Amino acid sequence: GESVGLHLPTLSVQEGDNSIINCAYSNSASDYFIWYKQESGKGPQFIIDIRSNMDKRQGQRVTVLLNKTVKHLSLQIAATQPGDSAVYFCAEINQAGTALIFGKGTTLSVSS
Amino acid sequence: DVKVTQSSRYLVKRTGEKVFLECVQDMDHENMFWYRQDPGLGLRLIYFSYDVKMKEKGDIPEGYSVSREKKERFSLILESASTNQTSMYLCASSQGLAGGRETQYFGPGTRLLVL
């Protein structure tokens, strides 16, 4: 069945380091992926998305990499700041193309 | 800015009660979604709607129903609340131009405790 998972439930980094959050997906036909950030007490917020015809997409301080060969997605955050501390979710489009399937989330903790 | 509001931030109900969770979006979005979020399980889709009076089951619809009588409002109904429905409930909306392949905007969530 469809499933989206993250390799690590938690990640701790020092302020200023680069962070890499990983995600594995199971549906090789998925053509759309998205990353969300959820801060404590808030709903998830969109970070960046990518379609399967791309390998890489960059935003402000964030980069998403897509490796379709091994069905792997990663989110890279440059110069991580304390404000980046949150739970990060990856999601992929379902087989019907109608809804997103979310992973279990990775909690990023940034220490000063 | 898109705004998605949920009627309550915290709710305490008793087993067997009928529970209504309300969600309103102000951006004329076509699509609306209800998720529940549990520790270690991420977000799981309960129901979604692509149009007024239209609904589709998500991954975990059992024990829930929904209502969309107006475009801006999507209600989640627990007909007879049970303790295993204690959870964080998140509502989201999206524009509806690309099916599921588009950004969803989330509300702040309702934390429901069923005793």
Side-chain angles (χ1 to χ4, degrees):
Chain A
E2 297 169 321
S3 66
V4 180
L6 287 162
H7 293 302
L8 292 174
T10 60
L11 179 64
S12 297
V13 301
Q14 290 284 115
E15 182 178 1
D17 286 352
N18 296 332
S19 303
I20 300 175
I21 301 171
N22 294 305
C23 185
Y25 63 94
S26 61
N27 182 10
S28 57
S30 288
D31 61 4
Y32 179 77
F33 305 87
I34 191 166
W35 282 97
Y36 280 89
K37 172 187 180 183
Q38 185 177 25
E39 296 175 87
S40 181
K42 297 183 179 179
Q45 289 180 290
F46 169 82
I47 302 173
I48 193 167
D49 59 2
I50 188 168
R51 294 184 181 270
S52 60
N53 59 355
M54 302 172 72
D55 297 323
K56 178 179 179 179
R57 192 172 187 206
Q58 289 184 291
Q60 190 175 12
R61 277 202 308 119
V62 295
T63 301
V64 55
L65 298 177
L66 177 61
N67 185 331
K68 295 179 285 294
T69 303
V70 295
K71 293 185 286 187
H72 184 268
L73 192 68
S74 67
L75 178 71
Q76 299 180 359
I77 305 172
T80 313
Q81 302 167 1
D84 294 326
S85 294
V87 181
Y88 289 81
F89 293 97
C90 64
E92 65 173 323
I93 191 70
N94 66 2
Q95 286 188 347
T98 54
L100 294 172
I101 303 170
F102 283 80
K104 294 176 174 49
T106 290
T107 300
L108 176 65
S109 299
V110 183
S111 52
S112 315
Chain B
D1 271 359
V2 176
K3 192 162 186 186
V4 180
T5 56
Q6 296 183 228
S7 50
S8 306
R9 292 302 303 269
Y10 302 94
L11 213 50
V12 180
K13 295 292 181 181
R14 297 211 172 270
T15 302
E17 278 192 79
K18 190 167 186 175
V19 182
F20 292 88
L21 302 182
E22 304 285 340
C23 175
V24 178
Q25 49 92 5
D26 67 356
M27 284 301 291
D28 202 36
H29 281 176
E30 301 291 332
N31 301 345
M32 296 189 76
F33 306 83
W34 274 107
Y35 296 88
R36 64 176 283 177
Q37 182 177 17
D38 301 288
L41 297 178
L43 279 71
R44 293 179 292 167
L45 182 63
I46 304 171
Y47 268 98
F48 59 102
S49 169
Y50 284 153
D51 200 353
V52 174
K53 296 192 185 295
M54 178 272 176
K55 61 184 179 183
E56 291 281 346
K57 291 181 179 179
D59 299 317
I60 51 164
E62 296 78 19
Y64 303 94
S65 61
V66 290
S67 173
R68 193 160 181 208
E69 295 296 317
K70 293 184 178 181
K71 189 175 186 178
E72 67 271 19
R73 188 179 298 269
F74 193 34
S75 303
L76 180 69
I77 303 155
L78 286 65
E79 294 289 342
S80 177
S82 62
T83 55
N84 63 12
Q85 292 179 310
T86 291
S87 187
M88 170 71 87
Y89 290 88
L90 290 161
C91 175
S93 72
S94 67
Q95 203 167 12
L97 299 178
R101 297 173 178 83
E102 58 186 11
T103 304
Q104 292 182 22
Y105 298 87
F106 284 83
T110 295
R111 190 167 292 281
L112 173 66
L113 173 62
V114 182
L115 301 174

